[in-house]
Amino acid sequence: PVLREPVPVLREPVPPPPHQDLVGNARWMVKFSNVSILATQSSFLDGFPFGQNKDVADGLWNETLSTGVPCIYTSHLEIQAQDFLKDPKVTFGYSSEFTHWCNDNGVDNDDPRCGKVMLSGEMEKVTDEAEVTWSKYGLFTRHPATKNWPVSHGFAFYKLNIQNIFVLDFYGGPTMHLNVTEYLDYKFDW
């Protein structure tokens, strides 16, 4: 029999920041989420968007090393890779539910207090050697099975060049255009 490495069950080790800290909440969701919903403009369903869950990492969830930039490991054979190779504009959707915080605290996923962040921008292949090393570190640690995917399928790392951030983490409506530089430069102490 083939032995597989155990996949860690991710539970956020700290609660999200206060709801007034929109940037902190956005970074918290991205840091502690193991998956995201990736939305693309479909290349096979002409005129329709296409969404699918994807393994993501922005570093390790249990360390202070976190970039806030979603990174994925995918093959050019995969449907969504075909989509973003044709049109690189995508959106990654996150929910505090992906961290288990909402369920653990009796908050429904559709309740505004169960935070949501949508990061929109353009996908870009990771080619810089240091960034490839960082991507391997984050993704292969959080998703151990991925390091054994077949080389013959042309897997590569891709990251999001963030252009817009939409956040909802409390009653009163979303903040639709969080400052990208402020988001990327955010310093957390959790």
Side-chain angles (χ1 to χ4, degrees):
V2 176
L3 297 177
R4 299 184 189 262
E5 294 182 46
V7 176
V9 175
L10 300 181
R11 293 280 186 186
E12 81 287 346
V14 296
H19 75 86
Q20 298 89 342
D21 183 0
L22 290 173
V23 176
N25 270 291
R27 286 295 300 269
W28 182 88
M29 280 181 263
V30 172
K31 177 180 175 60
F32 293 114
S33 293
N34 208 25
V35 297
S36 178
I37 303 298
L38 175 60
T40 58
Q41 183 62 37
S42 179
S43 59
F44 71 96
L45 293 172
D46 191 34
F48 287 91
F50 187 75
Q52 178 179 323
N53 60 308
K54 291 296 289 181
D55 289 346
V56 292
D58 76 326
L60 289 186
W61 65 277
N62 60 346
E63 294 184 0
T64 57
L65 302 173
S66 171
T67 63
V69 175
C71 182
I72 64 171
Y73 186 57
T74 193
S75 165
H76 65 279
L77 302 172
E78 199 267 332
I79 291 172
Q80 283 192 301
Q82 292 175 29
D83 293 348
F84 67 69
L85 290 171
K86 182 177 178 183
D87 180 353
K89 292 184 178 85
V90 303
T91 296
F92 281 87
Y94 292 85
S95 168
S96 292
E97 183 60 36
F98 297 170
T99 72
H100 307 286
W101 183 88
C102 300
N103 185 59
D104 290 351
N105 288 278
V107 178
D108 187 80
N109 181 61
D110 280 341
D111 186 311
R113 296 170 298 163
C114 185
K116 290 127 186 81
V117 62
M118 276 60 69
L119 304 175
S120 298
E122 295 189 5
M123 291 301 285
E124 167 184 326
K125 187 174 184 177
V126 177
T127 56
D128 177 79
E129 192 173 315
E131 283 189 284
V132 169
T133 299
W134 174 254
S135 299
K136 284 181 182 179
Y137 176 68
L139 273 154
F140 290 170
T141 301
R142 290 175 81 153
H143 307 281
T146 59
K147 67 182 168 192
N148 299 316
W149 289 351
V151 175
S152 62
H153 288 196
F155 282 91
F157 294 98
Y158 292 86
K159 66 179 181 178
L160 180 65
N161 179 5
I162 302 170
Q163 298 171 1
N164 188 60
I165 303 169
F166 173 101
V167 179
L168 175 66
D169 72 347
F170 202 70
Y171 302 109
T175 297
M176 297 188 33
H177 300 288
L178 212 57
N179 182 290
V180 175
T181 302
E182 185 181 347
Y183 169 84
L184 294 173
D185 291 344
Y186 185 84
K187 302 295 182 226
F188 48 84
D189 57 5
W190 22 265

